[in-house]
Amino acid sequence: MRKICILTSVHTPFDVRIFHKEAKSLASAGYEVVLIAQHEKEETIDGVNIINLNRPRNRIQRMTTTVWSLFRKAIAVDAELYHFHDPELIPVGLMLRRLGKEVIFDIHEDTRRQITRKQYIPLLLRSCLSRVYGLCEDFACKRFSALVTPQEKMTLRYRALNAAVTVENFVDTSLYQRRQLDWSKPVLFHAGALTEDRGLYNMMNAARQISGEFLFYVAGQLSAKTKASTLYPLTYLGVLGQEAIVEVYRRANIGIILYDNVGQYSMAGAIKCYEYMASCMPIIMPDFGEWAGFNDTCRCGINVNVRDAKGVAAAVSYLVDNPDKARQMGENGRKWVEKSYSWQSAFEKLLRLYGEVLT
């Protein structure tokens, strides 16, 4: 068995993309998989050997002490290939390359754009730091064995630097059953990190405009400055694991994506989008960027102006008042997932990349 080591200092060990999709699939494909991440103990789950990192007290400790601890543990693993997921691990990736290891950088987001939106960075520094980071990232990406991104538009840019492959955040259809939705009342659900850019305030404003009885669940990481008690009329479920998320999908009937038009959020293809589709749920989604074309193709929901709270509420009312059309949107989404957006098809590309890098 060829040993590979997956590295993350930011994400939880059971992150959907990192653990449930990539790590478990690679273990099933015959690789010896080691995952180094923040965790309470060392253990083996579903064929993945998890090596724990102590949880840092703050961001500075994570980007220094935690990263250094991860590097030392990564060296001790002595894998043939290292696959890392966080921009702060770029120096680790470069050091591993200097040691003769194969290294793949899995680029989840357009970080140089995201820096310009980070609230904890002083406004006057953001543009400068974004440019500096971009130069450093470009320098490093040319030296890694290969690059992976979740969206084709990102891949096209990174191919100018190195071999790059799109491994989409498609869904494992075996986890989601085809179902008939109950439309007695709207049960909305947003899965994923809860920030202003990701539509937190858009959802709160829209919820205040929805008439009648409804539930609006949100689940995901909150920033340290945001208290769950301030999210009303949203119902905050916390940070949920894969099984708990699937259980909420069984109760919900409308998937919500109300991203602001910043950074990479104009690109269609979020994990939650495919999960909604696999759960036969119509989606209320943005009307900007790729989202309009995506819905023109899949016919799986309604495009809205995310800042128009009354318009979002009207879309909710339309789905509840027209359950047959809502069910058809949900069925369209399910068919598209089964046909073109399954994780099994995306994983084949990652598997081929591993074979090319290791030979």
Side-chain angles (χ1 to χ4, degrees), residues 98-279:
R98 290 291 298 272
L99 294 174
K101 301 296 185 179
E102 302 295 345
V103 177
I104 292 175
F105 182 14
D106 202 320
I107 308 168
H108 291 206
E109 297 184 333
D110 187 341
T111 303
R112 64 192 76 191
R113 285 191 180 185
Q114 298 295 341
I115 287 173
T116 64
R117 303 285 298 179
K118 298 293 186 183
Q119 298 297 317
Y120 60 84
I121 300 175
L123 182 60
L124 294 177
L125 292 179
R126 292 178 198 172
S127 179
C128 179
L129 287 177
S130 175
R131 288 195 295 270
V132 170
Y133 172 80
L135 292 171
C136 293
E137 185 188 68
D138 288 351
F139 171 87
C141 284
K142 293 176 182 178
R143 287 153 178 82
F144 295 136
S145 306
L147 310 172
V148 169
T149 88
Q151 295 166 318
E152 187 62 26
K153 185 178 289 186
M154 293 174 64
T155 299
L156 291 173
R157 176 157 62 81
Y158 283 103
R159 278 196 188 125
L161 304 172
N162 203 336
V165 172
T166 306
V167 179
E168 298 91 345
N169 283 319
F170 291 163
V171 67
D172 182 351
T173 53
S174 66
L175 298 175
Y176 303 87
Q177 296 180 346
R178 177 181 265 105
R179 62 200 180 106
Q180 286 290 324
L181 303 184
D182 175 10
W183 286 102
S184 57
K185 69 177 179 181
V187 182
L188 295 73
F189 184 39
H190 169 96
L194 297 163
T195 64
E196 179 180 358
D197 289 354
R198 292 173 186 254
L200 177 58
Y201 299 121
N202 296 336
M203 290 187 285
M204 293 173 66
N205 293 335
R208 296 187 182 106
Q209 298 296 325
I210 299 173
S211 59
E213 186 181 0
F214 71 95
L215 291 170
F216 198 142
Y217 295 124
V218 294
Q221 187 68 50
L222 278 173
S223 70
K225 295 181 179 180
T226 305
K227 304 300 181 184
S229 58
T230 66
L231 300 185
Y232 182 83
L234 308 181
T235 300
Y236 180 57
L237 303 179
V239 179
L240 303 180
Q242 178 82 18
E243 292 182 3
I245 285 282
V246 172
E247 183 58 37
V248 180
Y249 281 132
R250 294 192 181 106
R251 306 200 302 268
N253 53 25
I254 300 174
I256 296 294
I257 302 175
L258 297 181
Y259 292 158
D260 276 338
N261 189 8
V262 295
Q264 71 184 53
Y265 298 135
S266 64
M267 302 180 198
I271 291 177
K272 65 177 68 63
C273 177
Y274 301 119
E275 291 177 342
Y276 298 156
M277 295 166 75
S279 300

